Amino acid sequence: MNREAWRAEAEATTVTRQEESDMAKFMDVHSGFVGVTASQLREAHERDLAIESAEGVHFERAWLDPDSGKVFCLSSGPSKEAVLRVHEKAGHPTAEIYELPIEVE
Amino acid sequence: MNREAWRAEAEATTVTRQEESDMAKFMDVHSGFVGVTASQLREAHERDLAIESAEGVHFERAWLDPDSGKVFCLSSGPSKEAVLRVHEKAGHPTAEIYELPIEVE
């Protein structure tokens, strides 16, 4: 690799890292989904996935407790506001969201 | 594979599936962890991991929002009560837990 190609790749790598560091992880919580089925949750989740890229958001997973009606959505994105805008545009708004800078497994 | 070996494997597979179907997934929520650090969360999580097997529980991941003090723990196990007993014995009890029979990604 010549010097210019090396420099171009180094700059590209720097940009990628910068973009990654601008992404945070979030958990948002919805209430009132009592009795919702797996296919209904999938349909709602797919409405998020269809429009999330416009906000730089990605919804990774969602879990539902149909007895209590709670839904937990794990996402990554640039801000709480961006995540909530996707949910609002997809037709299932919530105001309850937490940024999660710390994760263990 | 002869017939007996096949039957033994088929029975072993059935048992594994049965065991898996007895395990449910849960999200529990803790409040009051304002300002907790990554190493403190890891220490708390490792106290769960050290004793979880006695209850047939596994804590898969935990996420912390140190601003609001919320912690979300994703686990699998035989019952809500078993999960909560592990947390209680580890020194960080909570009463807020949801069973999650439905998951999408």
Side-chain angles (χ1 to χ4, degrees), chain B:
Chain B
M1 194 181 287
N2 67 31
R3 190 172 187 141
E4 280 184 23
W6 179 85
R7 183 173 293 162
E9 183 170 292
E11 282 171 1
T13 304
T14 304
V15 170
T16 302
R17 285 191 184 140
Q18 184 58 38
E19 284 172 354
E20 282 174 2
S21 71
D22 288 345
M23 296 288 275
K25 193 161 267 190
F26 302 94
M27 186 79 77
D28 65 74
V29 186
H30 304 250
S31 299
F33 283 66
V34 176
V36 162
T37 65
S39 66
Q40 289 171 322
L41 183 69
R42 175 158 298 285
E43 187 188 25
H45 184 58
E46 284 175 358
R47 285 205 300 276
D48 290 321
L49 298 181
I51 62 170
E52 64 182 15
S53 64
E55 295 282 358
V57 168
H58 178 53
F59 285 97
E60 298 181 9
R61 287 158 88 185
W63 299 270
L64 165 65
D65 173 8
D67 290 340
S68 69
K70 287 275 185 185
V71 177
F72 299 89
C73 300
L74 184 69
S75 66
S76 56
S79 68
K80 289 180 183 177
E81 291 71 22
V83 174
L84 295 185
R85 275 194 297 270
V86 177
H87 274 332
E88 189 170 1
K89 289 174 188 168
H92 37 258
T94 181
E96 187 176 358
I97 187 166
Y98 304 92
E99 186 169 340
L100 306 171
I102 300 174
E103 175 175 353
V104 295
E105 66 182 281

Side-chain angles (χ1 to χ4, degrees), chain A residues 15-72:
Chain A
V15 169
T16 303
R17 285 192 184 139
Q18 184 58 39
E19 283 172 355
E20 282 174 2
S21 69
D22 288 347
M23 296 287 274
K25 192 160 268 191
F26 302 94
M27 187 79 77
D28 64 74
V29 186
H30 305 250
S31 299
F33 283 65
V34 176
V36 162
T37 65
S39 65
Q40 288 171 321
L41 183 69
R42 175 158 299 284
E43 186 187 27
H45 185 57
E46 284 176 357
R47 285 204 301 275
D48 289 321
L49 297 181
I51 62 170
E52 64 183 16
S53 63
E55 294 282 359
V57 167
H58 177 52
F59 285 96
E60 297 181 12
R61 287 158 88 185
W63 299 269
L64 165 63
D65 173 8
D67 289 341
S68 68
K70 287 276 184 183
V71 176
F72 297 90

